Amino acid sequence: MSMFADGLDAAVRKAFTRPVPKSAGAQMRYLVKQLKGTKAVAELLGRSQRQVERYVSGQAQKPRPDLAARLEQEVNKRWQPQIRAKAKAKAATSNGIIIDTRARLGYTAPIGTTDQDRIRHLTLALPPHHAARLFDAQERGAGDDELRRIAAEALKEIYFQDNGRRAGQLEEVRMLDIEHLEFEL
């Protein structure tokens, strides 16, 4: 996954009302229930059906790091889908999303103005339509570059142009060298 997609997922996870299963057995049982069988889970994780059954029954308890990471990722992806959908819908329609980033930001502007990029630490509330664009792109499977471009466009509108009150001739904002990125709903 990408830095942006991970950040958006982390923001949505904060809305969960119940904790995600922690043990490998509980995670495996959850996936078996969601995918309706051990065979489907085995195919998803690239493991044997018998190995999945051992985790479900409690015979195996401590997966290798690669399986543990994959298991956690797949459970997080499916955990509380209605809560996840409500949190995204609320951000996309009424609340918006907060972005906290420390990155090198530069922009393209007309000749005669300064467009020197520099490190900035910004914490801004983005309106719902920007949250909707980010979540829609993430759902489509957009890569880090597209999500970065959407976030840069939002920063251009909100921070650099102050919602149309200044820098109207600003053409493009670039987000480079991201040191920190966090979202909050």
Side-chain angles (χ1 to χ4, degrees):
M1 287 200 110
S2 70
M3 178 184 288
F4 281 86
D6 289 345
L8 291 169
D9 283 341
V12 170
R13 275 196 301 271
K14 290 177 186 172
F16 288 166
T17 57
R18 290 181 298 144
V20 178
K22 296 285 182 225
S23 73
Q27 290 175 337
M28 214 49 102
R29 285 187 290 279
Y30 174 75
L31 285 178
V32 167
K33 186 176 179 183
Q34 290 297 304
L35 300 176
K36 299 180 182 7
T38 56
K39 185 176 182 180
V41 174
E43 289 174 5
L44 174 72
L45 299 174
R47 301 291 192 253
S48 71
Q49 185 174 354
R50 181 68 192 122
Q51 186 178 19
V52 170
E53 290 167 355
R54 281 195 293 271
Y55 281 103
V56 169
S57 69
Q59 290 174 318
Q61 295 175 358
K62 191 83 174 131
R64 290 193 174 128
D66 62 325
L67 177 58
R70 181 70 194 270
L71 195 54
E72 185 177 343
Q73 176 187 0
E74 293 300 333
V75 169
N76 278 331
K77 195 187 304 183
R78 291 168 175 78
W79 189 250
Q80 292 193 327
Q82 286 132 346
I83 303 271
R84 180 185 305 269
K86 282 181 188 174
K88 286 180 178 181
K90 191 173 184 182
T93 57
S94 61
N95 287 4
I97 193 167
I98 295 172
I99 183 172
D100 178 37
T101 186
R102 181 170 163 77
R104 182 173 301 283
L105 295 166
Y107 49 87
T108 306
I111 295 175
T113 61
T114 178
D115 61 356
Q116 183 67 39
D117 56 339
R118 65 179 189 260
I119 296 284
R120 298 173 198 252
H121 183 192
L122 302 176
T123 302
L124 297 168
L126 302 180
H129 67 277
H130 290 297
R133 287 186 62 205
L134 283 165
F135 284 127
D136 289 346
Q138 181 190 25
E139 291 290 322
R140 282 195 327 271
D144 219 27
D145 291 339
E146 185 178 349
L147 292 168
R148 179 189 309 243
R149 185 182 48 74
I150 292 168
E153 287 174 12
L155 293 177
K156 171 186 152 189
E157 181 183 313
I158 303 304
Y159 178 73
F160 289 101
Q161 293 181 322
D162 193 17
N163 288 318
R165 289 190 275 279
R166 62 183 165 140
Q169 70 278 19
L170 196 63
E171 296 167 14
E172 176 192 19
V173 170
R174 296 177 307 279
M175 271 181 102
L176 312 163
D177 305 330
I178 299 172
E179 296 174 4
H180 169 78
L181 178 70
E182 195 173 310
F183 293 99
E184 194 171 312
L185 300 179

